[in-house]
Amino acid sequence: MMKISLLSFGIAKDIIGHRFLDLELPAAASVGDLRSMLVQRFPRLSDLASVRLAVNGEYASEYLPLDENDEVALIPPVSGG
Amino acid sequence: MMKISLLSFGIAKDIIGHRFLDLELPAAASVGDLRSMLVQRFPRLSDLASVRLAVNGEYASEYLPLDENDEVALIPPVSGG
Amino acid sequence: MIDIQLLESTLDAQQCISFVHSNDAGGIDVFIGTVRNATKGKPVLRLEFEAYEPMAIAEMRKIAEQAIEKFGVKKIALHHRTGILEIGEAAVIIAVSAPHRAAAFDACRYCIDTLKEAVPIWKKEIFEDGEVWVAAHP
Amino acid sequence: MIDIQLLESTLDAQQCISFVHSNDAGGIDVFIGTVRNATKGKPVLRLEFEAYEPMAIAEMRKIAEQAIEKFGVKKIALHHRTGILEIGEAAVIIAVSAPHRAAAFDACRYCIDTLKEAVPIWKKEIFEDGEVWVAAHP
């Protein structure tokens, strides 16, 4: 198992209920695995127009393997500007 | 005969030598007639990239007949902005 | 040269213009996004902007770097507000200087269009009867 | 609403922005044309702008009216300098507000492009060794 930190913003924070959440994931879990786990635990995430995941401050592909202590951010549709 | 006022700007003023010039024209002379007369008298006008004529503050076609006391402006290539 | 700022205080257009001003650039284009008093006819009371700050700053910097590369412009200032904004306040200011105006316009537009797609900043509209995270749902 | 000015004194971007600012417009685009220190690599000392003033003001107003009609923008400020300008000074400032940004960009660009073709204002570049009326000859 490994521990990652989840940061949630905007509507994703409202759905998750916390800005910061520490999660235990199976070793070698990918971004896609984390997404599936989150959608299962927080089904309202599926209602969003999109959810991107960023790992350590960079948008990440679904295939990226996560590492111990990664900071993963849940990025719902952005609306700056 | 009729009298018109000629205003010259930019390089046209340098060529004509005066900002303001009163001219006597045959009655019923058109903008085109005035242009021909000016080019004959000030041949360096032909060297310019373009010369538009404005009558009483509006760009005018060559066919517009001039009237007594019209203010005609010689508009060499503009370069504002 | 690039000036990226994420600020909780009022944005200053003159500061952005002064940053990009250059004696060898003939054109400056500035875009200012301001808070509108209504969305689809419904009165908005105020906005709140939330940002994933380090990533937002990094993404804004990337956009400015891409714009300089793509359009050959000289300098870019890109300032974005966070926190609570009243109606009429500036949410974003982008200033771009270039030797010629077409590049300044194109680069400025590229910056705001790309910012709206890529930068992790979220806008909540606050109405008389509730709050909505903009664009969250399809 | 339109604000047209032909001024012998320094142009003020903030004044143009304040004029076009509106609580029901979400985007402002501003173009500032500044005096470059060189033309085709040759150092410029300063510029001089001459205008056929009443016609220049009338033509600038027409352009702003056309832009409002064509792009559905709200307000336009169009200020142009006359007289002697030092390097780096603003020769023209155009500010446009619109409900959405695309119209603001398009209208601002239309204004500067059309101004450069139609408004009777002439620029003289002053070099170390002489003066040239810009674009006069083919």
Side-chain angles (χ1 to χ4, degrees):
Chain A
M1 300 292 281
M2 63 180 171
K3 206 191 71 177
I4 63 118
S5 312
L6 185 73
L7 264 74
S8 302
F9 295 95
I11 188 136
K13 190 219 152 199
D14 293 351
I15 292 172
I16 304 288
H18 303 276
R19 169 78 72 215
F20 304 99
L21 195 62
D22 286 339
L23 292 175
E24 292 277 332
L25 296 182
S30 68
V31 167
D33 296 335
L34 173 60
R35 178 194 293 277
S36 307
M37 200 202 90
L38 289 170
V39 168
Q40 198 161 32
R41 186 160 155 199
F42 305 99
R44 286 172 57 214
L45 289 175
S46 318
D47 300 338
L48 302 182
S50 70
V51 180
R52 284 181 282 186
L53 282 86
V55 177
N56 303 323
E58 298 268 357
Y59 288 114
S61 94
E62 298 294 293
Y63 305 105
L64 186 77
L66 293 167
D67 283 324
E68 178 81 19
N69 295 323
D70 274 349
E71 177 181 285
V72 181
L74 264 184
I75 314 268
V78 300
S79 48
Chain B
M1 298 292 281
M2 63 180 171
K3 207 191 69 179
I4 62 119
S5 312
L6 185 73
L7 264 73
S8 301
F9 295 96
I11 188 135
K13 189 218 154 201
D14 293 352
I15 292 172
I16 304 288
H18 304 277
R19 170 77 73 215
F20 304 99
L21 196 63
D22 286 339
L23 292 175
E24 293 276 333
L25 296 182
S30 67
V31 167
D33 296 334
L34 172 59
R35 178 194 294 275
S36 308
M37 200 201 90
L38 289 169
V39 168
Q40 198 160 31
R41 186 159 155 199
F42 303 100
R44 286 172 57 214
L45 289 175
S46 317
D47 300 338
L48 302 182
S50 69
V51 179
R52 283 181 282 186
L53 282 87
V55 177
N56 303 321
E58 299 268 357
Y59 288 112
S61 94
E62 298 294 293
Y63 305 106
L64 186 77
L66 293 168
D67 282 324
E68 178 82 18
N69 294 324
D70 274 350
E71 177 180 285
V72 181
L74 263 184
I75 315 268
V78 300
S79 49
Chain C
M1 286 170 71
I2 293 172
D3 175 39
I4 304 294
Q5 295 193 40
L6 205 53
L7 296 162
E8 283 201 63
S9 51
T10 308
L11 302 187
D12 181 346
Q14 193 55 57
Q15 195 187 316
C16 295
I17 293 168
S18 299
F19 177 82
V20 301
H21 184 278
S22 161
N23 286 346
D24 56 1
I28 296 173
D29 193 46
V30 186
F31 175 76
I32 306 172
T34 57
V35 180
R36 293 178 68 182
N37 57 12
T39 288
K40 291 170 195 151
K42 190 171 175 182
V44 172
L45 301 187
R46 59 184 177 280
L47 290 190
E48 197 174 334
F49 278 100
E50 184 174 299
Y52 179 17
E53 297 205 4
M55 183 173 169
I57 288 170
E59 290 291 321
M60 289 196 287
R61 180 167 297 279
K62 274 187 213 165
I63 292 169
E65 285 167 355
Q66 286 158 7
I68 285 175
E69 167 98 16
K70 229 171 140 73
F71 301 101
V73 298
K74 297 215 166 256
K75 298 186 188 174
I76 298 182
L78 211 169
H79 292 191
H80 202 295
R81 267 294 289 279
T82 56
I84 293 180
L85 276 79
E86 304 299 327
I87 301 304
E89 282 198 281
V92 62
I93 301 182
I94 299 171
V96 179
S97 62
H100 299 288
R101 71 186 185 281
F105 277 109
D106 289 343
C108 191
R109 200 157 179 166
Y110 173 82
C111 287
I112 182 65
D113 289 351
T114 312
L115 181 150
K116 283 177 174 272
E117 284 169 10
V119 176
I121 296 180
W122 296 271
K123 173 167 36 187
K124 186 157 69 175
E125 285 176 334
I126 295 149
F127 301 100
E128 192 77 55
D129 61 355
E131 310 180 337
V132 172
W133 287 106
V134 173
H137 293 98
Chain D
M1 285 171 69
I2 294 172
D3 176 39
I4 304 295
Q5 295 193 39
L6 205 52
L7 296 161
E8 281 201 66
S9 50
T10 308
L11 303 187
D12 181 346
Q14 193 55 58
Q15 195 186 317
C16 295
I17 293 168
S18 300
F19 177 82
V20 301
H21 183 278
S22 161
N23 286 346
D24 56 2
I28 296 173
D29 193 46
V30 186
F31 175 76
I32 306 172
T34 57
V35 180
R36 294 179 68 184
N37 57 11
T39 288
K40 291 168 192 152
K42 189 171 176 182
V44 172
L45 300 187
R46 59 185 176 280
L47 290 190
E48 197 174 334
F49 278 101
E50 183 174 301
Y52 179 17
E53 296 206 3
M55 184 175 168
I57 288 171
E59 290 291 321
M60 290 196 286
R61 180 167 296 278
K62 273 187 213 165
I63 292 169
E65 285 167 355
Q66 285 158 6
I68 286 176
E69 167 97 15
K70 229 170 141 73
F71 301 101
V73 298
K74 296 213 165 260
K75 298 185 189 177
I76 299 183
L78 210 170
H79 293 191
H80 202 295
R81 268 293 290 278
T82 57
I84 294 180
L85 275 78
E86 303 301 327
I87 302 303
E89 284 198 279
V92 62
I93 301 182
I94 300 172
V96 178
S97 63
H100 299 289
R101 70 186 185 281
F105 277 109
D106 289 341
C108 191
R109 200 158 180 166
Y110 173 82
C111 287
I112 182 64
D113 289 351
T114 312
L115 181 150
K116 282 176 174 274
E117 284 169 10
V119 176
I121 297 179
W122 296 271
K123 173 168 32 188
K124 186 157 68 175
E125 286 176 334
I126 296 149
F127 301 100
E128 193 76 54
D129 62 355
E131 310 180 337
V132 173
W133 287 107
V134 174
H137 293 97

